[in-house]
Amino acid sequence: MAALARQACGWPRLLARPWACGARLAPGERRRTTAASSRRPRLEPPRDEPRVQAQESQGGLEFSQHRLEEQGASAGPASPGLGLFSRALLDMGFSEDHAKELLGLRPGSHPRQLLDIVSELILLGVNPEPVFVALKTNPQLLKLPVAQVRKRCGHLRKLGLGEGKMKRVLLCCPDILTMHQRDLEAILEVLKDKCLFTVQQVTEILHRCPYVLREDPDELEYKFQYAYFRMGVAHADIVTSGFLQYSITKIKQRHVFLERLGRYQTPDKKGQTQVPNPLLKDILRVSEAEFLARTACSSAEEFDVFKKLLAREEEEPEGRMPKDRSDSLDEDEEEEEE
C-alpha cells in the first residue's frame, strides 16, 4: 500500500515531464510549440484521475493506520495492533495460524514477553512447531519472567541440551522450564553422584528419557540400582537402551519372569552367565505379545498368573525378609558367634 501511495504521488511529476522537455528546445522551436499549443484545445484531465486521487488518499490512510497499529502494539498490553509481533513470529518460521494462536494464548499479557520466551527457545535449537505445541499445551510457560527462562535456558545449554536435543525434551517434559531449580538439581545429583554417570551420559539420558525429570529422586536411584546390581546392566547399556524411562513395575515383571523361566541370569563378577541373556531392547522395548512370543516363549495366561503372584509378593510387609535372605543372615550370625 505504501508503494501504491508513492506511485500515486509520482503522477504530478509524470504529467509535468512534457513541459520540462519543452524547456530544453531551441528558442524558435519553443515559440512554434507554444503557438501550436495555444491553438490546440485545452486538454481535459484524465477520466480516472479522481480514482487515482482516491487510491492515493486511501493508500495514505491505510499506511498511516498500519503505522499506528505498529506503534500501538509497542505501547502496552491493551493495544489492539499486533502487526509488528505477528510479523516477528512469521520471520521466526511460524505460520500465520500459529502466530495468531500464540498471540491469543494470553490476551492480558504483553506480546513482547511472548516474543522473548519464543526467542530463547528458538536459540536452544528448537524448531517453531515444537515451540508452538509446548506453549499451546502449557500456556503457563508465558507466566514465567523472561529472566528466569533465559537463566534456565543457559543452564540447559551447559548440560548439553542444545543443538536440537531440546525438541524431544520440550515435547515430553515442558516442565523443565517451570520446575524449581532445587528439583532439577536433585535429579542431576542422583544421576551424577549416586549413579556415577558421566556428564555426557547425563545429557544423553535427559535427551532419551526426559521423563526422569518428573520422577522421585529416591525411586530413580532405586531403579538404577536394580538395573546395575540385580540385572547386571552396565552404565552404557542403561543409557543406550533408555532403561530409565520404563516403570519399575514393568521392569520387574519381565525380568523376574525371564529369570524364573531360566532365560535370564545375573552376571557374576566377571560379567559371565551360564545362559545368554536377551538384549534389553527385546525385554522392554517390545510389546507384551512380542515379549511373550519371542523373548519369553511363554503364554499370556502364564504371564498373567505370574504378575498376580509377583504383586502379592510385593505387598508383603517390609519387615518380613525372603526365606533365602533370612537364612543367609542366620548363617552369618552363626559364623560370627564361632
Side-chain angles (χ1 to χ4, degrees):
M1 190 58 65
L4 181 59
R6 290 193 298 268
Q7 183 179 0
C9 293
W11 273 88
R13 292 193 298 270
L14 293 175
L15 295 176
R17 285 182 181 178
W19 304 103
C21 294
R24 293 192 295 269
L25 297 176
E29 295 179 355
R30 187 185 309 170
R31 286 193 296 272
R32 289 194 298 270
T33 305
T34 306
S37 61
S38 61
R39 293 193 298 269
R40 292 177 184 176
R42 183 178 181 181
L43 295 176
E44 297 294 334
R47 295 182 179 180
D48 55 347
E49 182 177 357
R51 186 185 307 172
V52 173
Q53 294 178 355
Q55 289 178 355
E56 178 180 355
S57 60
Q58 183 180 1
L61 288 176
E62 291 185 6
F63 178 73
S64 302
Q65 181 67 22
H66 180 67
R67 293 295 301 272
L68 289 175
E69 288 179 357
E70 291 184 351
Q71 294 175 1
S74 58
S79 60
L82 298 176
L84 180 64
F85 299 101
S86 299
R87 175 56 56 185
L89 291 174
L90 293 177
D91 293 339
M92 291 181 187
F94 293 92
S95 64
E96 294 184 1
D97 295 337
H98 287 176
K100 291 179 181 178
E101 291 191 44
L102 287 176
L103 292 172
L105 288 178
R106 293 185 56 78
S109 61
H110 200 293
R112 174 62 61 184
Q113 183 177 7
L114 169 66
L115 287 183
D116 292 338
I117 293 177
V118 170
S119 300
E120 292 297 330
L121 298 179
I122 294 293
L123 290 176
L124 278 176
V126 187
N127 294 329
E129 182 68 24
V131 172
F132 169 76
V133 175
L135 293 178
K136 185 177 180 180
T137 55
N138 298 272
Q140 67 271 15
L141 296 178
L142 299 177
K143 298 179 181 180
L144 300 176
V146 179
Q148 179 181 344
V149 176
R150 186 175 294 113
K151 183 178 179 181
R152 177 60 54 85
C153 290
H155 189 201
L156 296 177
R157 289 190 191 95
K158 293 180 180 179
L159 292 176
L161 293 177
E163 301 177 356
K165 289 187 176 181
M166 270 297 297
K167 175 181 178 180
R168 176 178 172 83
V169 178
L170 194 60
L171 289 177
C172 297
C173 186
D175 306 1
I176 193 172
L177 297 176
T178 57
M179 63 188 304
H180 292 289
Q181 184 67 24
R182 64 175 180 272
D183 297 333
L184 179 59
E185 293 294 340
I187 297 295
L188 296 176
E189 181 182 359
V190 169
L191 295 175
K192 293 180 180 179
D193 301 336
K194 297 184 178 181
C195 301
L196 301 180
F197 287 106
T198 64
V199 176
Q200 294 180 351
Q201 289 175 339
V202 170
T203 301
E204 194 66 21
I205 288 173
L206 295 179
H207 178 222
R208 291 174 176 267
C209 315
Y211 295 106
V212 299
L213 297 170
R214 298 178 176 176
E215 290 200 25
D216 181 81
D218 295 334
E219 294 179 359
L220 181 61
E221 182 183 1
Y222 174 72
K223 189 186 296 186
F224 164 78
Q225 291 178 351
Y226 187 90
Y228 189 79
F229 296 104
R230 185 71 174 81
M231 300 180 65
V233 183
H235 283 77
D237 295 332
I238 294 176
V239 175
T240 56
S241 64
F243 183 91
L244 297 177
Q245 68 179 318
Y246 302 103
S247 65
I248 190 62
T249 302
K250 178 179 179 178
I251 294 171
K252 281 186 175 182
Q253 287 176 350
R254 299 195 177 187
H255 165 249
V256 178
F257 186 63
L258 292 174
E259 194 175 46
R260 295 185 182 180
L261 289 175
R263 298 183 178 275
Y264 195 101
Q265 284 185 351
T266 302
D268 56 15
K269 295 181 180 179
K270 298 181 179 180
Q272 299 178 353
T273 58
Q274 297 180 355
V275 296
N277 289 336
L279 300 176
L280 288 178
K281 65 182 184 64
D282 297 329
I283 299 175
L284 299 174
R285 285 190 184 180
V286 296
S287 62
E288 183 174 305
E290 188 174 355
F291 165 75
L292 293 174
R294 298 184 179 183
T295 308
C297 299
S298 182
S299 62
E301 293 78 9
E302 186 177 359
F303 189 50
D304 291 338
V305 173
F306 165 76
K307 287 189 289 186
K308 294 178 181 179
L309 294 175
L310 183 63
R312 188 178 302 173
E313 294 176 5
E314 295 288 335
E315 292 175 357
E316 292 180 355
E318 296 181 359
R320 181 180 177 184
M321 293 180 294
K323 181 178 181 181
D324 55 347
R325 180 61 179 164
S326 60
D327 293 342
S328 62
L329 289 179
D330 293 338
E331 292 176 1
D332 294 340
E333 291 177 357
E334 291 177 0
E335 292 177 359
E336 291 179 358
E337 291 178 359
E338 293 178 357

